[in-house]
Amino acid sequence: MSGTDTREETIRLAMECMALQHGERPEVQWLKEKYQEFMRREGIGGKEEADKCIYRRMYGKEPVKQQDILKIRYWRTGRHLPVNHGQCISFGRALGLDGADLRYLLQGYYDGCDEIYQEESPDMQSVYWKRRNAMQRLADGYLRKMPQARLEQMNITRSTLEHSIRHLYYTDALSYIYRGMSEWYLTSHITSMNYDSELGRNMKLLGVIPRKTMIRHLVILGMPGLNLERLNRLLRNFGYLELQEQHTMRSGERLDWLLIRLFAKYEAFRKEHTAQECSLWMQKKCSLLDACFAAEGRNHLRFMYFKSLKE
């Protein structure tokens, strides 16, 4: 696969990705199989009774209204998803899922992380701190490889580097969306202020961090030395599903399919180009893909975009 693909080939890749969204999510098909296993195991003959059983296990009481069990049906058929991570876990446990199956419910069907941290763990040997320290190493590596010329352009010294990560990250993110930023955007740190608290929480791994958001973090912090193998290893270590050919987002889009092909092209390009050329290549490709998805109103596929960029 050539790393020198044209603009037209990149646009075609975006169009192919958008065309793949059809039919039932594979993750919902998997869940339906688990639901059938649950019915057989419990000796339940009808789906309405099975939904009532799941409701009772989740809430410890009998369903009163039809809407009580309707949401169970919506979850198992993929029409809607549980409103939060805790509800998804409760739903999975009511189905009798544990271990790898419960993890796949969270990472595959729910397209999220296997754990959500609301506060820093007091146990420094916990999974939380292993992941938190891994994120810190990524951030440190990102700052170490920052070109001196860029720091001078943005009026950042090495002594203030760590405090400037928000603006460096923000302007990097802009380069994956928009080409040709103004000098004012680069040097005026106030432009990135709106992203300060969110990035801070994300770097501490606190609260809900969608898988697509984590992928963006890994791309920005990991380039230009990022490849598909390392991206998958990082996703796994942070508690997310690795990129899989058939995986779909909650809304049914095939972002994984796109990223697998994008990184295959990138790895081919890397073999004969400098680190600076590689970073520029990825920025250009992501910017073009983002423009294609934005033009078609397919915002779920805009994996390098986030709300603060337009503010």
Side-chain angles (χ1 to χ4, degrees):
M1 188 177 290
S2 172
T4 58
D5 59 304
T6 64
R7 173 185 175 88
E8 289 71 24
E9 288 173 324
T10 303
I11 293 174
R12 185 161 55 246
L13 184 67
M15 295 303 176
E16 287 181 34
C17 179
M18 288 186 280
L20 287 172
Q21 186 186 358
H22 59 81
E24 190 171 64
R25 295 179 63 204
E27 295 83 1
V28 173
Q29 296 173 4
W30 170 86
L31 180 57
K32 286 182 175 181
E33 293 175 3
K34 296 300 175 182
Y35 182 78
Q36 292 294 330
E37 290 177 12
F38 163 76
M39 291 178 65
R40 288 193 295 269
R41 188 171 60 249
E42 300 298 325
I44 301 174
K47 292 180 179 178
E48 182 172 352
E49 182 53 40
D51 291 345
K52 289 180 180 178
C53 180
I54 292 171
Y55 182 92
R56 285 193 295 268
R57 289 186 176 186
M58 287 186 67
Y59 300 103
K61 60 183 180 180
E62 292 290 332
V64 178
K65 305 182 297 292
Q66 184 64 26
Q67 287 89 338
D68 290 339
I69 60 171
L70 188 61
K71 64 181 178 182
I72 306 296
R73 187 176 80 188
Y74 284 166
W75 295 345
R76 63 173 169 80
T77 58
R79 184 169 174 178
H80 296 296
L81 277 76
V83 296
N84 56 46
H85 181 268
Q87 194 176 64
C88 191
I89 290 178
S90 181
F91 175 52
R93 287 176 175 161
L95 277 167
L97 303 182
D98 58 14
D101 283 341
L102 184 59
R103 190 176 306 112
Y104 184 75
L105 183 76
L106 296 166
Q107 296 178 329
Y109 164 81
Y110 206 58
D111 196 31
C113 188
D114 60 357
E115 291 191 49
I116 303 295
Y117 307 103
Q118 299 299 342
E119 57 185 21
E120 297 178 349
S121 171
D123 180 5
M124 299 303 292
Q125 303 303 314
S126 64
V127 172
Y128 167 77
W129 278 106
K130 289 178 182 177
R131 293 176 177 178
R132 168 79 175 270
N133 291 334
M135 180 59 76
Q136 186 62 52
R137 287 193 295 272
L138 271 176
D140 291 344
Y142 169 72
L143 294 176
R144 277 197 306 272
K145 64 193 175 192
M146 198 61 59
Q148 183 62 34
R150 184 180 177 200
L151 297 180
E152 292 174 1
Q153 179 188 29
M154 300 174 73
N155 299 319
I156 297 173
T157 64
R158 288 287 170 183
S159 62
T160 62
L161 194 54
E162 187 174 349
H163 296 290
S164 301
I165 187 170
R166 180 204 73 233
H167 192 62
L168 290 165
Y169 179 104
Y170 186 87
T171 50
D172 264 345
L174 277 170
S175 69
Y176 286 91
I177 303 297
Y178 309 114
R179 305 305 306 162
M181 284 178 288
S182 69
E183 182 76 13
W184 179 81
Y185 246 104
L186 291 173
T187 58
S188 179
H189 290 217
I190 195 172
T191 58
S192 60
M193 279 293 294
N194 289 339
Y195 194 54
D196 190 54
S197 60
E198 183 177 345
L199 183 63
R201 287 193 303 271
N202 282 190
M203 292 297 99
K204 293 178 181 178
L205 302 181
L206 297 177
V208 176
I209 306 176
R211 182 171 180 261
K212 184 171 69 170
T213 300
M214 180 57 73
I215 288 172
R216 169 172 35 94
H217 291 330
L218 298 180
V219 170
I220 291 177
L221 299 178
M223 285 293 292
L226 193 65
N227 57 25
L228 187 60
E229 180 182 1
R230 185 175 181 227
L231 177 57
N232 277 332
R233 183 172 67 252
L234 289 168
L235 283 171
R236 182 177 64 249
N237 291 345
F238 284 117
Y240 296 85
L241 191 71
E242 297 180 15
L243 296 182
Q244 295 184 0
E245 187 81 16
Q246 298 301 319
H247 176 65
T248 61
M249 304 170 74
R250 296 181 185 184
S251 47
E253 285 95 347
R254 296 275 295 278
L255 178 61
D256 282 30
W257 181 94
L258 175 77
L259 291 171
I260 288 169
R261 283 154 181 77
L262 177 64
F263 272 92
K265 290 175 180 291
Y266 175 68
E267 288 178 38
F269 184 85
R270 279 184 68 193
K271 293 177 181 178
E272 299 178 355
H273 295 83
T274 66
Q276 185 177 2
E277 290 170 333
C278 288
S279 293
L280 184 60
W281 184 96
M282 184 62 81
Q283 290 167 4
K284 287 182 175 179
K285 295 302 176 186
C286 289
S287 178
L288 181 52
L289 289 169
D290 186 78
C292 290
F293 297 142
E296 297 293 326
R298 303 293 288 273
N299 290 333
H300 291 299
L301 285 168
R302 300 180 67 189
F303 61 97
M304 295 304 290
Y305 175 82
F306 54 98
K307 183 180 178 182
S308 294
L309 289 182
K310 71 175 183 179
E311 297 176 347

